[in-house]
Amino acid sequence: MGEVCAITKDAEKRGSIFPRGFADRGPEFTLSPMLFNLSTKPNDVAVVDANGVITRGELASAIAAGAGHLRSLGVAEKDVVLVSVELSIRAVIALLAARATGALACAVNHHQLEAAAAKLSPKLIIGSEPVEGHTVVSLDALGTGGEKWTEPALDGAWGIHTSGSTGEPKTVVLSAATESHLTSSTISTIGYRADDEVYMTLPFSHILGLSQIWICLSAGCTLHLPPPDLPVMQLAKWAGEATMIPAIPVHMRMLSMARRKPPLRMVTLGGQVTMPEDRLL
């Protein structure tokens, strides 16, 4: 499996948050298949949010446009790009555009933004909130398409800025190899299918939420993102057509209480200990 590395004193001394040897990976380390097959079935819906839908072909074009704009602003491989965004199609574009430049794309929520910016010294921030001393690029500035899709750089990676619930907040780096391994192993082990309708409410700042982007786009299924501030009691109603839901136990409780349950074939659980009342049956 690829390397997962937290910021350490040694890394800080070296002036880099990347694991040792990160830039010297051999050819056996490959990108997630997601980043190569978006042109497959370009008219299929890739992501749905409260404002509309985007197809796989449109998403590929938008990522290319966004990555081109970020490069024009000086973003290069090994730079850090913070992405402070809500669950939306625009957020998916921003995250994958940053990833496609070969930079470290780090998704954070607005509560984490200032602390993460101070610790990581990003090249720029994609979001809507000003952060003193840093360049902030709006989601709308990334463009909507029109550029030719090109394969992203091999050395891109992801950063997860942890909440600090088990200690001091830190950033965990996921290499391209980790991305590829996690994506392919999850699809094969859990059994994601191209006809799945995946409804997801976990934030992109959490690995369980962020990884759904790679997994769903690689498997060819449709990723549904919730409207802003969706009450957890309304989960079953919103996800009425879901075949899969990446969930935490509180979601299971809400689904078990619903009179009309979605046509689920699978629920994946993570993040908390399950209880007897969490059973759907």
Side-chain angles (χ1 to χ4, degrees):
M1 182 173 177
E3 193 166 2
V4 180
C5 178
I7 293 180
T8 63
K9 291 182 179 179
D10 175 65
E12 290 174 345
K13 286 179 182 177
R14 290 185 283 112
S16 171
I17 65 172
F18 291 94
R20 285 187 180 277
F22 181 81
D24 303 318
R25 297 306 191 191
E28 71 276 10
F29 288 86
T30 58
L31 290 172
S32 163
M34 164 196 69
L35 297 171
F36 293 101
N37 70 0
L38 281 177
S39 58
T40 302
K41 297 183 178 179
N43 295 322
D44 284 5
V45 174
V47 187
V48 179
D49 69 9
N51 296 311
V53 304
I54 189 168
T55 65
R56 297 175 66 82
E58 291 167 341
L59 182 58
S61 182
I63 294 168
H69 183 64
L70 292 175
R71 290 190 187 99
S72 74
L73 296 174
V75 175
E77 294 182 27
K78 300 299 180 293
D79 283 334
V80 176
V81 176
L82 290 185
V83 184
S84 176
V85 290
E86 72 286 356
L87 286 170
S88 67
I89 290 172
R90 296 193 309 168
V92 172
I93 294 169
L95 286 162
L96 294 178
R99 166 70 177 82
T101 64
L104 177 81
C106 186
V108 297
N109 61 47
H110 69 278
H111 300 295
Q112 301 171 317
L113 183 55
E114 289 192 7
K119 197 171 188 76
L120 299 179
S121 301
K123 182 72 174 182
L124 55 78
I125 297 169
I126 303 174
S128 58
E129 303 174 32
V131 180
E132 186 175 356
H134 296 277
T135 301
V136 179
V137 178
S138 73
L139 289 166
D140 292 332
L142 293 183
T144 57
E147 294 197 18
K148 184 179 179 181
W149 170 249
T150 56
E151 294 177 356
L154 176 63
D155 291 328
W158 298 96
I160 303 293
H161 194 70
T162 68
S163 63
S165 58
T166 58
E168 181 183 354
K170 56 187 177 292
T171 296
V172 178
V173 174
L174 285 77
S175 68
T178 301
E179 173 193 56
S180 180
H181 177 84
L182 178 60
T183 301
S184 58
S185 63
T186 301
I187 291 172
S188 61
T189 302
I190 295 179
Y192 280 72
R193 302 189 315 215
D195 61 347
D196 275 323
E197 302 291 333
V198 180
Y199 281 67
M200 201 272 294
T201 62
L202 300 170
F204 289 144
S205 56
H206 194 292
I207 183 58
L208 296 177
L210 179 63
S211 60
Q212 290 303 313
I213 299 176
W214 330 328
I215 293 165
C216 290
L217 294 182
S218 296
C221 47
T222 301
L223 177 62
H224 295 256
L225 303 174
D229 303 317
L230 175 73
V232 70
M233 293 293 292
Q234 296 294 316
L235 174 62
K237 182 177 180 180
W238 168 68
E241 304 303 320
T243 60
M244 292 187 71
I245 295 181
I248 56 177
V250 66
H251 297 149
M252 292 285 284
R253 290 170 204 148
M254 295 303 103
L255 290 169
S256 66
M257 294 165 57
R259 292 184 178 180
R260 181 180 180 274
K261 295 178 176 60
L264 290 167
R265 68 179 192 84
M266 190 175 298
V267 175
T268 60
L269 276 177
Q272 293 176 324
V273 176
T274 58
M275 304 297 287
E277 60 267 27
D278 296 331
R279 293 178 300 176
L280 278 178
L281 300 178

